Amino acid sequence: MMDYENIAINPIKSGLVVDFKKLRDEIKRIGRIDFAFVAVPSQSLYGLPMADMHNLGFDIIVCPKRKLDSQKLEDSVDMSIIRIGWTFLRYEEISDVVIISNDFHMIEIVREAEKQGKEVHLFGLDQISSALKSILDPVKIHKVPLAPKTFLEGE
């Protein structure tokens, strides 16, 4: 389960993009991939390498902004990831959960997964929430692979 905006936006400023092929291959080393969801806020769809992501087995979930009150809008990405995560945690066949995010909101799904005896693996960047890092075994924390923007454009 990936929080696209949380992971992909900052590297773009440095001319880097998520290397989805390497990411998929690193996740495969953990185990078989049954479900791979990338939650994307609707305003971030432009420029998204959808065909590449889909061909590598990542399903895209578009998350619209939701109204909190009459004037404030909020992304629904975190809620979507948590809701989907809770649903899949019910399956006994799933032994490992991979979360791709820097966001402390993922603590809820990490705790529930561990409570149910699932192994949790986190892929993030240098900005992983300290609260999130503190509840995970450091061996289960991995760096999201990045590549120069031209690397993926040429494929």
Side-chain angles (χ1 to χ4, degrees):
M1 297 176 289
M2 178 181 191
D3 183 342
Y4 179 81
E5 191 174 53
N6 181 269
I7 291 295
I9 297 303
N10 280 337
I12 288 172
K13 297 171 188 171
S14 304
L16 300 171
V17 292
V18 173
D19 186 332
F20 282 95
K21 185 176 183 323
K22 279 187 182 174
L23 178 62
R24 184 212 46 203
D25 293 346
E26 287 185 33
I27 295 170
K28 278 184 168 182
R29 282 189 210 114
I30 294 168
R32 187 180 78 226
I33 301 172
D34 289 323
F35 309 100
F37 298 106
V38 179
V40 180
S42 54
Q43 73 272 12
S44 296
L45 287 175
Y46 178 76
L48 188 72
M50 283 192 246
D52 293 336
M53 292 165 66
H54 183 73
N55 290 337
L56 290 168
F58 293 94
D59 291 313
I60 298 164
I61 299 171
V62 179
C63 304
K65 287 193 179 266
R66 63 186 184 127
K67 273 191 178 182
L68 289 180
D69 54 42
S70 61
Q71 302 196 339
K72 188 174 178 184
L73 292 174
E74 177 184 72
D75 281 333
S76 60
V77 169
D78 293 344
M79 288 305 298
S80 295
I81 291 171
I82 292 167
R83 188 180 69 244
I84 291 166
W86 276 77
T87 300
F88 285 108
L89 287 178
R90 295 181 195 145
Y91 293 95
E92 291 178 15
E93 302 86 1
I94 295 176
S95 60
D96 292 75
V97 176
V98 175
I99 298 170
I100 307 164
S101 179
N102 295 315
D103 196 334
F104 75 93
H105 289 111
M106 298 303 121
I107 289 173
E108 183 178 341
I109 196 75
V110 169
R111 285 194 174 132
E112 184 58 28
E114 289 179 337
K115 189 168 123 183
Q116 292 190 28
K118 316 279 186 196
E119 292 287 328
V120 179
H121 306 268
L122 177 72
F123 282 79
L125 299 171
D126 294 332
Q127 308 87 0
I128 297 174
S129 155
S130 57
L132 184 56
K133 281 200 287 194
S134 72
I135 65 169
L136 285 165
D137 180 344
V139 193
K140 306 269 187 209
I141 300 174
H142 314 273
K143 193 137 174 123
V144 171
L146 300 173
K149 189 169 172 55
T150 55
F151 173 82
L152 293 179
E153 289 173 348
E155 283 194 349

